[in-house]
């Protein structure tokens, strides 16, 4: 199957699941459903759910069983974007081509919306662990990896280093550490969770972790490049914000051309990590290339 068809099918089934995830009830707290759906259903590349499904598909074709876990990753990712856009953090007015959540609903609502999506993620995952037919031991292992990677040892930890330890990032290694937590951790856990749900063996998990670490860093460097080279229209958020906010990025340490070379090198290395899969990994290879070449 052609990669674009494969990718569009995955995105479509993720969107269909997300649309059904948050029912808008007519009760006193109805604002929260509207605000959660506003951000959750406002586009986005859906990379984390797609890579979870791609890893799972190496081992099992019953994608329906893995879908709630995949969509839980998107809920966590969306909550992090809502909180990251708040005035106390990045103070961003636009996200995914629309007003950011706090610009639309106000700051208090945006905090609660992010909290609501985080809870929804685990409610969705735990319900699936009970009902989806996936072996409960593997479902719990996957949920553990997801929780760990989005907490203080993962994404939240990385955000803390970024927001509070910014002045201490003096080498490219410091920056890579922050990136491996802030952006890399939930990319890696999406892949690991998909593999665990498919009951991957230890050597298969290791190979996928190796792949995930490389594409996670490549993805973040590409994000730094796009902040300089892209536009609001293409990216759906303001560009040039790293420089405007005096942020240390990969481009603080290397030129754009060198950064592009690094993205290509990491992508090739990521693909090499998958050699044990003997041809079954074709979409993971294409996915790595897609991330490298992405323009938004
Ligand atoms: C607030 C706990 C907390 C964490 C925030 C994700 C994050 C941590 C910050 C976002 C800041 C940022 C721009 C990071 C760079 C990489 C990244 C996560 C980009 C956004 O992800 P995409 O490109 O977005 O997958 P879409 O909208 O396509 O889903």
């Amino acid at each position: 199957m052609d990669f674009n068809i494969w990718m569009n099918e995955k995105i479509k089934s993720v969107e269909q699941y997300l649309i059904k995830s948050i029912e808008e009830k007519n009760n006193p707290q109805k604002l929260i459903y509207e605000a959660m759906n506003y951000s959750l259903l406002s586009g986005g590349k859906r990379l984390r759910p797609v890579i979870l499904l791609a890893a799972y598909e190496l081992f099992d074709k019953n994608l329906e069983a893995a879908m709630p876990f995949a969509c839980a990753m998107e809920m966590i990712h969306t909550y992090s974007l809502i909180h990251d856009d708040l005035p106390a953090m990045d103070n961003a007015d636009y996200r995914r081509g629309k007003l950011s959540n706090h610009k639309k609903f106000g700051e208090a609502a945006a905090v609660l919306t992010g909290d609501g999506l985080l809870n929804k993620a685990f409610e969705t995952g735990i319900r699936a662990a009970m009902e989806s037919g996936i072996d409960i031991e593997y479902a719990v292992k996957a949920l553990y990896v997801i929780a760990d990677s989005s907490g203080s040892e993962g994404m939240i930890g990385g955000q803390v280093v970024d927001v509070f330890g910014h002045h201490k990032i003096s080498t490219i290694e410091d920056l890579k550490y922050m990136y491996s937590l802030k952006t890399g951790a939930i990319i890696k856990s999406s892949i690991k969770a998909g593999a665990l749900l498919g009951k991957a063996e230890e050597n298969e998990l290791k190979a996928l972790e190796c792949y995930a670490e490389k594409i996670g860093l490549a993805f973040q460097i590409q994000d730094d490049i796009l902040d300089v080279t892209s536009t609001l229209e293409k990216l759906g958020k303001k560009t040039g914000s790293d420089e405007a906010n005096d942020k240390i990025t990969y481009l603080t340490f290397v030129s754009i051309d060198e950064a592009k070379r690094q993205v290509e090198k990491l992508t090739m290395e990521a693909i090499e990590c998958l050699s044990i899969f003997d041809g079954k990994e074709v979409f993971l290879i294409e996915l790595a290339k897609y991330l490298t070449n992405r323009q938004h």
Side-chain angles (χ1 to χ4, degrees), residues 44-45 47-48 74 77 79-81 83-84 89 96 155-156 159 182-183 219-220 223 237 294:
K45 294 180 287 301
L47 292 176
R48 293 147 194 86
E74 187 64 20
H77 169 58
Y79 116 72
S80 80
L81 298 179
H83 282 188
D84 188 61
M89 297 217 201
R96 294 173 163 172
M155 182 181 72
I156 292 177
Q159 182 77 347
K182 189 178 101 163
T183 320
F219 176 79
Q220 178 62 65
D223 205 71
K237 61 180 183 179
R294 78 190 167 101

Side-chain angles (χ1 to χ4, degrees), residues 17 272 278:
Y17 191 93
E272 280 164 26
D278 268 350

Side-chain angles (χ1 to χ4, degrees), residues 210-242:
C210 166
Y211 166 83
E213 281 165 17
K214 309 269 184 199
I215 62 160
L217 180 57
F219 176 79
Q220 178 62 65
I221 300 174
Q222 184 69 5
D223 205 71
D224 292 348
I225 295 171
L226 290 175
D227 190 66
V228 174
T229 61
S230 194
T231 59
L232 170 70
E233 291 72 34
K234 278 194 203 153
L235 220 49
K237 61 180 183 179
K238 219 167 133 201
T239 51
S241 62
D242 291 337

Side-chain angles (χ1 to χ4, degrees), residues 255-268:
S255 66
I256 290 197
D257 284 345
E258 178 53 25
K260 286 182 181 166
R261 274 193 290 276
Q262 290 283 327
V263 171
E264 275 171 32
K265 183 166 174 278
L266 285 161
T267 307
M268 294 320 294

